[in-house]
Amino acid sequence: MKKGIINSENICYINHNGVEYIQFKNLKKYDNAITHCFTTRKGGVSSGECESLNLGFSRKDSRDNVMENFKRVAKAISVDCRNMVFANQVHDNKIKEVGEGDRGKGITEESDIIGYDGLVTNQREVALVTFYADCVPVFFYDPEKNVIAVSHSGWRGTVKKISAQTVNKMQNAYGCRAENIEAAIGPSIGRCCFEVGEEVYREFVDKMGWSDKFCKKTGTSKWHIDLQEIIKKTLTECGVREENICMCNICTRCNRDVFFSHRGDHGKTGSMAAIIQLR
Ligand SMILES: [Zn+2]
């Protein structure tokens, strides 16, 4: 995978007053309707292992630092922190419909949204927020129905097809059609660095036989798995058009200078966020 993050045909790398983040070109086309970003580790006030744009309240960081970091990101993408809604993320595949009444949950008040790895809404000024440090962020937008979603797809969520669950939820709850959905698969640990044992490989091929072609054996009992490609295939299988899926092809571990990486930093790291909101 690519080393060194630059603007490409798929992504824009933006520095807004020092806050650095990524936007996806297929979503950026709809800048008048949505705002979105995937943050990096650059542009915040945190120090040590959370240096500097840590957005995780449960990391080794002060609440004040994290709030200041959120304010900076919010300003950069024109979102109000009070409109943010967090998912608490448990490596499952459940998607929560949220609305105006959920604004602030996780940031200005304690959240009762427990056990969800994805959020979806059709309401304006409700900013959906999920967290990452190697797992795969997946963004969704249906310009026809004006519905947004974001889901956290670690390897467990990927095996449980959380991306397909997100599309299902958009269809069932809001009448979206898969062929209208734009999706973006963000920076995560790449196949180059996601090494797992036989038992994880087995989970994939037992539950999704076709995923074998995205797994590569690298030792007697070690495998490298391409989560981003498996998610892409999961999306096309449920009707999302290939040309509507933006792949960033960026490995967080290979680019530890730009991204927090759980594996790259041996667990001592901060959190990045995927944020999307209808304007
Ligand atoms: Zn890598």
Side-chain angles (χ1 to χ4, degrees), residues 46-147:
S46 306
S47 57
E49 66 194 50
C50 292
E51 185 178 347
S52 62
L53 193 61
N54 168 48
L55 297 173
F57 284 116
S58 57
R59 301 286 177 170
K60 208 172 163 189
D61 200 357
S62 75
R63 189 169 177 87
D64 285 351
N65 282 350
V66 181
M67 277 308 298
E68 173 60 25
N69 292 341
F70 264 112
K71 281 180 193 154
R72 290 180 179 204
V73 171
K75 193 169 180 196
I77 63 164
S78 303
V79 159
D80 187 326
C81 288
R82 291 169 297 186
N83 291 340
M84 291 182 177
V85 183
F86 292 5
N88 73 320
Q89 300 176 200
V90 293
H91 293 278
D92 200 353
N93 65 357
K94 289 205 278 296
I95 313 300
K96 173 78 173 170
E97 293 167 56
V98 297
E100 277 179 50
D102 297 302
R103 292 184 298 191
K105 287 182 179 176
I107 183 157
T108 61
E109 61 176 277
E110 201 160 322
S111 183
D112 58 357
I113 302 169
I114 311 275
Y116 292 91
D117 284 80
L119 301 169
V120 60
T121 193
N122 67 348
Q123 293 185 27
R124 295 175 56 240
E125 301 199 355
V126 177
L128 311 181
V129 186
T130 48
F131 298 95
Y132 303 86
D134 279 347
C135 292
V136 192
V138 191
F139 295 74
F140 300 83
Y141 176 53
D142 173 3
E144 292 294 319
K145 298 287 182 185
N146 220 28
V147 171

Side-chain angles (χ1 to χ4, degrees), residues 1 188-194 251-255:
M1 279 196 177
S188 73
I189 194 160
R191 190 175 83 171
C192 40
C193 296
F194 186 51
C251 172
T252 44
R253 187 169 180 262
C254 286
N255 295 282

Side-chain angles (χ1 to χ4, degrees), residues 137-169:
V138 191
F139 295 74
F140 300 83
Y141 176 53
D142 173 3
E144 292 294 319
K145 298 287 182 185
N146 220 28
V147 171
I148 52 170
V150 63
S151 51
H152 160 256
S153 194
W155 76 260
R156 290 177 195 280
T158 302
V159 167
K160 290 178 180 177
K161 297 189 180 181
I162 187 170
S163 297
Q165 294 298 323
T166 314
V167 171
N168 289 343
K169 184 63 108 179

